[in-house]
Amino acid sequence: MGFQPYHSPSTGCEVGAVLFDTFGTVVDWRTGIARQAATFAAAHGQALDAETFADDWRALYQPAMEAIRSGSREFATLDTLHRENLDHVLRRHGFTPDRLDLRALEELNKSWHRLPPWPDSVEGLAAIRRRYIIGPLSNGNTSLLLNMARNVGLPWDVIIGSDLTRTYKPLPRAYLRTAEVLDLRPGEVMLAAAHNHDLHAAREAGLATAFVARPTEYGPGQAADLEPESDWDLSASSIIELARGLGARASCAA
């Protein structure tokens, strides 16, 4: 018998697209940023706790976007927010940004464009792509996500960055506008993510949901998102396992 597309128990719809949170779910941002920050520090003759540097830079991510989500600031791309946050984290770690070469700072900021995938990501995405539309549903801007994909071979069908939706997750528009661009109903789109809060917001917007465990995203001491915190449609330990789950046969909800 031929392939039968996955039907979401929560939405009652046949899934047509599987979209992925990217930072932490598809790529290992902490390792990637730490490695590139260590290289930057060595080039400037300065010692650096690179993992803490990566954690501190990432910690400024949500507050920067919240200013935009709340309406207190006009939309700015994630590249712009990362660049602003970079100056703050450099100062915290003993650098003086005003004395550093601007091209070197821009190159360091583009570390987010060069993050390594988790070992299962490319193979798992390729398997899912054989049956479903795949792409990122990320707070990253289009050029960032495009460069990331080209650098490590992420086989996306489509890239709809936050600069196109003009909003940031977890606001409903981030999920709904992406489904609209794909000409799909929200229930025909599945978000796969390693973060339960992202999946809660996606479910509230009407999307199908899948949890992919990344228990070392924040390093060996990670305490959150170690397991699914709700009855998501699917739960998997890798994107390869998620691909197998999406191949399961199920009947359409009435």
Side-chain angles (χ1 to χ4, degrees):
M1 295 179 64
F3 170 77
Q4 293 184 3
Y6 181 81
H7 286 69
S8 162
S10 66
T11 70
C13 294
E14 180 180 297
V15 171
V18 183
L19 306 183
F20 289 80
D21 168 73
T22 305
F23 299 108
T25 302
V26 176
V27 296
D28 179 0
W29 61 264
R30 189 174 191 263
T31 297
I33 295 301
R35 286 175 179 168
Q36 294 175 85
T39 299
F40 175 87
H44 289 82
Q46 188 157 329
L48 179 69
D49 181 338
E51 287 77 18
T52 300
F53 183 94
D55 292 338
D56 289 347
W57 198 357
R58 180 67 172 179
L60 298 173
Y61 170 76
Q62 288 293 345
M65 291 187 297
E66 185 55 31
I68 295 167
R69 290 189 292 246
S70 69
S72 63
R73 176 179 179 175
E74 291 294 322
F75 182 84
T77 68
L78 191 58
D79 271 340
T80 298
L81 301 182
H82 277 153
R83 180 64 184 85
E84 293 170 357
N85 293 340
L86 176 58
D87 283 353
H88 293 292
V89 76
L90 284 168
R91 291 189 185 96
R92 187 180 303 173
H93 286 264
F95 293 87
T96 305
D98 293 345
R99 297 179 181 176
L100 297 172
D101 181 71
L102 286 176
R103 288 175 296 181
L105 292 176
E106 290 297 333
E107 189 64 19
L108 179 59
N109 196 52
K110 287 187 176 178
S111 296
W112 296 95
H113 295 222
R114 298 186 295 267
L115 300 179
W118 294 107
D120 57 273
S121 290
V122 174
E123 180 182 348
L125 291 174
I128 295 170
R129 184 175 182 261
R130 285 193 284 269
R131 301 295 186 180
Y132 301 90
I133 298 166
I134 66 166
L137 204 171
S138 170
N139 286 325
N141 44 281
T142 303
S143 61
L144 186 163
L145 296 169
L146 175 61
N147 290 337
M148 181 191 295
R150 290 177 62 84
N151 282 328
V152 297
L154 302 178
W156 302 131
D157 289 306
V158 63
I159 296 175
I160 303 168
S162 58
D163 50 324
L164 301 182
T165 61
R166 306 294 289 180
T167 191
Y168 285 118
K169 296 186 298 179
L171 292 182
R173 179 173 169 79
Y175 307 96
L176 297 175
R177 178 60 179 150
T178 303
E180 181 183 334
V181 170
L182 295 174
D183 197 23
L184 294 171
R185 292 178 293 167
E188 295 173 321
V189 175
M190 172 177 279
L191 175 69
H195 312 117
N196 285 282
H197 70 276
D198 199 355
L199 295 175
H200 278 294
R203 174 181 280 177
E204 290 177 3
L207 275 64
T209 52
F211 179 81
V212 180
R214 298 300 189 196
T216 60
E217 176 189 353
Y218 284 88
Q222 182 168 321
D225 290 320
L226 298 178
E227 58 186 23
E229 296 174 1
S230 190
D231 56 339
W232 311 123
D233 290 307
L234 291 170
S235 180
S237 62
S238 68
I239 297 178
I240 293 172
E241 185 178 333
L242 176 62
R244 290 196 289 268
L246 286 163
R249 301 167 191 262
S251 27
C252 185

